[in-house]
Amino acid sequence: MIKKIVLVFGTRPEAIKMCPLVKELKKHQDIKTVVCVTGQHLQMLKQVLDVFGVIPDYDLSIMRNEQSLFDISINILNKIRPVLEIENPDIVLVHGDTSTTFAAALASYYLRIPVGHVEAGLRTYNAYLPYPEEFNRQAVDIIAKYYFAPTEIARQNLIREGKDRS
């Protein structure tokens, strides 16, 4: 049975870490890999995509001059919903702590699509330090079904918070 995975990212740091995963997943014939970028960091994102040779299946193009966190979140939620409804993936993978990560995870939750959080469990335990990244990271870990912790400390944080060990 072919599994469908949608990877959502929109910033340069996310792309640097997610593009190698995209390349690896695309090697597997039993996995349908769909890439959706938000364009939260427009030019810097494009540079990384070009370096890795990753061509998005969807580009939400949310970047606007002087956009606020409200604008970013609202635009991603509005634009990603039809993508997720059309693709109907088995899982959505998000990375890190950006507004793209949070909004994509929230949309997936609303549509009852399991979320995998790449780089889960990193913590400062101060919702405003850094702002809004720490909140985003913790909120995504509440939503996520699958956790990919980058360090043993991050893994232990997830366990202490009662996240599934499997």
Side-chain angles (χ1 to χ4, degrees):
M1 178 180 195
I2 294 178
K3 293 286 185 181
K4 186 184 288 188
I5 300 175
V6 172
L7 295 93
V8 181
F9 52 95
T11 68
R12 181 176 182 238
E14 290 170 322
I16 289 169
K17 294 182 180 174
M18 295 291 270
C19 283
L21 182 55
V22 168
K23 301 291 268 189
E24 182 60 33
L25 288 170
K26 285 189 178 270
K27 292 178 185 176
H28 300 271
Q29 293 180 4
D30 59 336
I31 300 172
K32 168 96 167 103
T33 304
V34 178
V35 176
C36 176
V37 297
T38 65
Q40 186 176 337
H41 288 174
L42 187 59
Q43 290 301 80
M44 292 183 285
L45 175 65
K46 183 174 176 354
Q47 291 168 351
V48 175
L49 292 171
D50 289 347
V51 166
F52 283 97
V54 171
I55 299 168
D57 299 286
Y58 297 93
D59 184 346
L60 304 183
S61 299
I62 62 124
M63 188 66 171
R64 303 290 179 265
N65 288 332
E66 299 182 32
Q67 65 187 352
S68 69
L69 292 173
F70 289 96
D71 299 325
I72 293 168
S73 299
I74 290 166
N75 289 335
I76 292 170
L77 283 170
N78 283 333
K79 291 185 174 190
I80 202 166
R81 179 181 180 178
V83 170
L84 296 176
E85 288 175 337
I86 290 166
E87 292 298 335
N88 191 29
D90 296 294
I91 185 171
V92 170
L93 292 180
V94 296
H95 173 272
D97 57 15
T98 67
S99 295
T100 287
T101 300
F102 172 66
L106 185 61
S108 299
Y109 168 77
Y110 287 160
L111 294 171
R112 298 181 184 258
I113 301 168
V115 173
H117 189 191
V118 177
E119 207 170 84
L122 299 178
R123 298 286 185 266
T124 67
Y125 291 109
N126 177 339
Y128 291 98
L129 183 64
Y131 174 82
E133 289 83 357
E134 178 65 10
F135 169 82
N136 290 341
R137 188 180 297 278
Q138 287 192 38
V140 171
D141 282 343
I142 290 170
I143 292 169
K145 180 174 183 177
Y146 305 103
Y147 307 94
F148 303 95
T151 67
E152 180 60 25
I153 292 170
R155 188 177 82 79
Q156 290 300 322
N157 289 339
L158 293 165
I159 291 169
R160 270 192 302 283
E161 294 169 11
K163 305 302 188 273
D164 189 358
R165 293 178 187 230
S166 52

